Amino acid sequence: MATAQYRTLLEKIVHEGPWTIEETCRAYEARAQQMKESATLSPRQLARWMRGDVAQARAVAQRVAEAFWGHRFEVLLGSPHDFSEFERHSGTAAPGLSVDVESLEAAAVMAAHESFEHSARIAGTVDSDDISELQESVLELARGYQTKPPLQLLTEARHIRNVAYLLLDKTRRPAQTSELYQVAGQACGLLAVVAFDLARWDAAEEQARSARTYAELIGDADLEAWSRGTQALIANWRGQSRRAIDLIASSVDDAPAGVSTARLRAIEARAWAELGRPDQVKESLRLADVEMEQARHNELYGATGGEFGWGPSRHAACAGTALLTVGHGESAVTRISDAISLAPEDPLGGLEPARAQVDLATAELVAGRLDASVDALNSVWTIPAPHRRQGITGRMDQLAHRLIGRDWRDTQQAVELRDQIEVFNSEAASRLALPSA
C-alpha cells in the first residue's frame, strides 16, 4: 500500500484532518471572525495554498492562517518534511496537528510518535514487537478514550493508523498483514468516533466505512459489526434514521452473537425511535436485552473494550435514549438511572457518564420534573470545553429545545437553564470549532 506524498505541509494537514475542504474553509472563516479579522477562504483558494501556488496572499489572510493551523505561513506552504518542531505555536487548536503542546507530557508523546514513525519508515523489515505495540496502543487508546479531548485523540489515533500503513508497505507475510489491517481498521474506527464527536459527519462516515472495509478484508466479524453499527449511529444523528435501519438489517444476521448483536439492536431501537415507532423500539430492545443476557466474554467489544466496548452500563444508557426519544419518560429514567448506577462497576464498558446525565435530565423533564432535571446536570457543567463532545452538546441542544415547550417556556428556572446551556455549548464550539446549533 503506497503512502500519500504531499506537496506542502498544509496539504498534509488538510487531507489527514477530520474535515472536508468546505468544512475547513468554514472553520477558517469562523476563526477569522473570532480574531475580528476580515478574511475569507474559498475552496479554490485553499486548493491553491495546498499546492503551494500562492503569488501574493494578503497579510490578514496569512495572520488568520497562522493562528488557525499553528505554523508560520511560509512553513505551511513548504514541504511537510522540512518544518521544524520549533515552528509550532504553543496552545493552538489546529485541526490538522491538534495536541495540547503547552503540556510537556503532550510534547513528549508527540516526539515519541514521530520517532516511532521515522523508525518504521527506515526499517528494512517489520518487527513483530512493533505490531504488538500498535495492538496494545489501539486498545489502550480505546480504553482511555473518555479521558482525553477529541483533538488529542485525533492525533493519537492517526499516529497508530499511519504507522500501520508504513508497516504494511514493508511486509508480505500474511499473518503480519492481517494483524496490521486489523490495527488500521480499529484506528479508523476510533477516528470515526472522533470525527463524530467533532460533528464532522462526512469524515466520520468515511472513517467508519474504511474500518468496515479492513474488517471485511481480514474476516473480522466483530469489527465489521462494530463499524456497521457506527455507520448506523452516524446516519441516525444526521437525520437518516431509515438508512440507519437498513445498515443494521444488512449486517445483524452475520454479526457474532452477544455484545456485537446487542449493540446493533440497541442502535436500531434508537433509529426506530427517531421514526416514531414505539412498537419497533420495544421489539429491538427486547432482542438487544436477550443478546446481552446470553453474551460471553469479549475482551475488545464487550465490557472491557472502552470505546469499542458494549458493557451493561452503555447498553442500559442506549436503551434509555431510545425510550426517551419516543416520549416514555418514566421508563427512560429507570433505564438511564440503571446505567449510571452500573457505571462504577463497568468502567471500561464504554459509557460516557456525562451523556447519560444529560439524557437523565431530559427524561426527568419529559416526566414532568424540572427540579430533578436541573439536579441531573450538576456534574455536567464542570466538563472542560475541550471535552464537550457532540454526544454531549447535541443532547444539551435537545434538552434546550424541550425547555421551550408549552409546559416550561414561561418558567424562570427553565429560562435560566436554557441560558446556561447556550453558554455551555458556545464555549465548546469556540474551542473545538464545532458547528453552531
Side-chain angles (χ1 to χ4, degrees), residues 390-403:
Q390 168 64 22
I392 296 172
T393 59
R395 283 171 165 82
M396 291 291 261
D397 280 335
Q398 292 168 0
L399 174 57
H401 181 73
R402 289 182 182 272
L403 285 166

Side-chain angles (χ1 to χ4, degrees), residues 340 353-365 370-383 392 395-397 399-400 403 413-414 416-418 420-421 424:
I340 293 170
R355 296 183 188 184
Q357 291 292 159
V358 180
D359 273 350
L360 179 60
T362 308
E364 293 286 10
L365 193 69
L370 179 56
D371 287 342
S373 178
V374 171
D375 290 342
L377 294 174
N378 285 339
S379 63
V380 178
W381 303 121
T382 60
I383 299 171
I392 296 172
R395 283 171 165 82
M396 291 291 261
D397 280 335
L399 174 57
L403 285 166
Q413 191 177 23
E416 292 173 356
L417 183 54
R418 289 202 308 272
Q420 281 184 277
I421 290 172
F424 180 90

Side-chain angles (χ1 to χ4, degrees), residues 226 229-230 233 258-270 285 287-289 291-293 295-321 335 346 348-352 355 395:
W226 184 91
T230 301
L233 194 62
V259 290
S260 290
T261 298
R263 178 174 180 265
L264 289 172
R265 289 298 188 188
I267 294 170
E268 179 184 55
R270 288 174 60 173
L285 290 181
L287 294 172
D289 289 342
E291 292 292 336
M292 283 298 288
E293 290 170 2
R296 297 179 180 179
H297 175 72
N298 186 319
E299 180 181 11
L300 184 56
Y301 298 97
T304 60
E307 189 54 36
F308 287 124
W310 194 255
S313 61
R314 194 172 197 176
H315 180 77
C318 192
T321 303
R335 290 299 292 258
D346 186 30
L348 297 176
L351 176 69
E352 183 175 25
R355 296 183 188 184
R395 283 171 165 82

